[in-house]
Amino acid sequence: MSDWSVESWRSRPALHQPEYADAEAVGTAVAKLRSFPPLVTSWEIERLKGELAEAQQGRRFILQGGDCAESLADCTPDVITNKLKILLQMSLVLVQGARKPITRIGRFAGQYAKPRSSATETRPGPDGRDLTLPSYCGDLINSIEFTPEARRPNPHLMVRCYQHAALTLNFIRSLIDAGFADLHHPEYWELAFCDNAALHEEYHAMVLRLSDSVRFMETIAGQPIDDLTRVEFFTSHEGLHLLYESAGTRNVPRREGYYNLTTHLPWIGDRCRAIDGAHVEFFRGIRNPIGVKLGTSATPDELLALIDRLNPANEPGRLVLIHRMGLASVQRCLPPLLEAVNRNDRRVLWVCDPMHGNTKAANGSGSHPGRKTRDFADILGELDASFDLHAKAGTYLGGVHFELTGDHVTECTGGARGLSEADLAANYRTMCDPRLNYEQSLEMSFLIARRLASA
Ligand code: PEP
Ligand code: CO
């Protein structure tokens, strides 16, 4: 790829990039990033690519999930373990339904940059008059407090976020190595606050069945099954901030090409996938598997051009297409894309993100009018419709992508507990988009598992 370099994206239009005032500070931060050890290795990245290739062939299912925007303040043991716990529990539920291995990919250890629909935000200032400041763009770029200092893009945050991603990943790796994810001990992942009796019971009955099966298999094998003592987690984030992404991209000894070693699976957001834009230019040259989000504006021609640019060799496991159309549009927008990819025999892994097309403003009747929310029924509805549309097209929906948390937040409405818009104020904590809480996530996994079991 002689016309690509780690910096070639700089000659293309780059959307959603911060404008820093101090070029010298940017240079210092980027040099620091370049000098740090990588966060992940090319071996792990290639292993994930292999698993994504299996998922493409219908032999595996992908669970991708985590915060919309990770925050530096939430880099704490409780928040991180709760995220692992919910992803582990969901994957256990899914494996029973899918009867296939599940690959777990966190939206974590680097999900710190956000594209925003508006570059500025206006609120009443300290003197009561309207104050307009830059929007919060994630902890990688600025801070959420509504002051001019906090909202000013700060290049040093790139270094802090990289360090926090390393702290997060170090803790995840240590937990996994210590046996936290041992399938013989699902009680390790118990979360303290599931008050939903029916859901709790269903989960426990399933865990009991699973423990029985494990014991049964080990009795037959006459020895413990080692593979069950540890499961793997991969990391992913939106590769939005190209200075940060390119500073973490390296040529690895004894391997060809360049790897983005800040994460296993970076993805291009729906707003940044312009064929001649800087993001597509940067992504086409890295060896990682890559995701592309596809919203309602994606056309079949655009998609085929993107596939050609990003995966010209039709390499298995390279490209993950994450559709996020919304319940209202999925029937209209998804089939033409499936058909185009099918007709042209392109190898892609299809994943559904039922969150980003279903965001709406809560009604004024709640105590926090205008808060962003999503309804459980819309999320499930888009997933159900997607499974149907893939079945009809003869394609395989190989994974799901959620914004979720292991904590007891009140950001999405609905689910078994029937959270209403009036309940949102109780614990609305997201830094950006509304996430499924612990119970809603677990319930969602049971509903998907049922669907997979009947497929
Ligand atoms: C996201 O995943 O948080 C996001 C911004 O998604 P999209 O690019 O699909 O809007
Ligand atoms: Co989001």
Side-chain angles (χ1 to χ4, degrees), residues 141-215:
I141 289 147
N142 57 7
S143 305
I144 199 159
E145 295 75 33
F146 197 69
T147 65
E149 302 72 48
R151 292 294 174 94
R152 192 172 300 131
N154 173 0
H156 182 63
L157 287 173
M158 290 191 278
V159 175
R160 289 199 67 211
C161 283
Y162 193 91
Q163 290 166 330
H164 280 70
L167 288 172
T168 305
L169 205 47
N170 178 57
F171 187 49
I172 292 171
R173 292 189 196 281
S174 311
L175 283 172
I176 303 291
D177 280 348
F180 175 76
D182 187 340
L183 285 185
H184 299 86
H185 294 286
E187 71 277 9
Y188 294 172
W189 335 325
E190 200 65 30
L191 279 150
F193 44 71
C194 187
D195 319 321
N196 182 320
L199 194 60
H200 208 51
E201 230 168 75
E202 187 172 2
Y203 178 71
H204 278 273
M206 191 209 70
V207 167
L208 266 183
R209 277 199 309 276
L210 181 90
S211 308
D212 274 354
S213 319
V214 168
R215 270 195 299 277

Side-chain angles (χ1 to χ4, degrees), residues 20 23 39 97 114 135 138 153 163 179 282 329 332 367 377 436:
Y20 294 114
L39 297 177
K114 300 307 302 170
S135 293
Q163 290 166 330
F282 172 71
S329 307
R332 175 173 57 85
S367 47
L436 293 173

Side-chain angles (χ1 to χ4, degrees), residues 193-266:
F193 44 71
C194 187
D195 319 321
N196 182 320
L199 194 60
H200 208 51
E201 230 168 75
E202 187 172 2
Y203 178 71
H204 278 273
M206 191 209 70
V207 167
L208 266 183
R209 277 199 309 276
L210 181 90
S211 308
D212 274 354
S213 319
V214 168
R215 270 195 299 277
F216 176 70
M217 290 298 294
E218 293 188 331
T219 310
I220 289 192
Q223 58 184 24
I225 303 171
D226 279 344
D227 271 3
L228 296 181
T229 59
R230 62 193 308 269
V231 297
E232 239 176 338
F233 277 90
F234 294 99
T235 64
S236 68
H237 66 244
E238 178 169 351
L240 181 71
H241 190 356
L242 292 172
L243 272 180
Y244 178 86
E245 302 298 322
S246 56
T249 296
R250 304 174 190 182
N251 182 231
V252 175
R254 287 180 299 283
R255 279 204 198 271
E256 291 220 349
Y258 285 80
Y259 286 81
N260 180 344
L261 299 176
T262 66
T263 190
H264 300 112
L265 173 68

Side-chain angles (χ1 to χ4, degrees), residues 14 29 40 62-64 80 136 159 201 211 218 271 295 329 356 361 366 375 396:
V40 302
I62 307 298
L63 171 64
Q64 187 177 14
I80 297 168
Y136 169 64
V159 175
E201 230 168 75
S211 308
E218 293 188 331
R271 293 161 235 225
S329 307
H356 285 89
D375 191 57
Y396 175 63

Side-chain angles (χ1 to χ4, degrees), residues 410-423:
T410 51
E411 297 168 7
C412 292
T413 55
R417 187 186 288 267
L419 273 186
S420 72
E421 291 190 354
D423 297 323

Side-chain angles (χ1 to χ4, degrees), residues 3 5 10 58 79 109 138 176 191 198 269 293 435 437 444:
D3 59 342
S5 78
R10 287 175 186 268
V79 172
I176 303 291
L191 279 150
K293 294 278 208 97
R435 303 161 292 178
N437 64 24
M444 187 64 73

Side-chain angles (χ1 to χ4, degrees), residues 68 107 111 114-115 238 267-271 293-294 324 353 356 401 403 433:
C68 178
R107 280 177 68 113
Q111 175 51 22
K114 300 307 302 170
E238 178 169 351
W267 76 81
I268 309 179
D270 187 43
R271 293 161 235 225
K293 294 278 208 97
L294 298 171
R324 30 85 83 219
D353 161 3
H356 285 89
H401 178 123
E403 287 186 341
D433 289 340

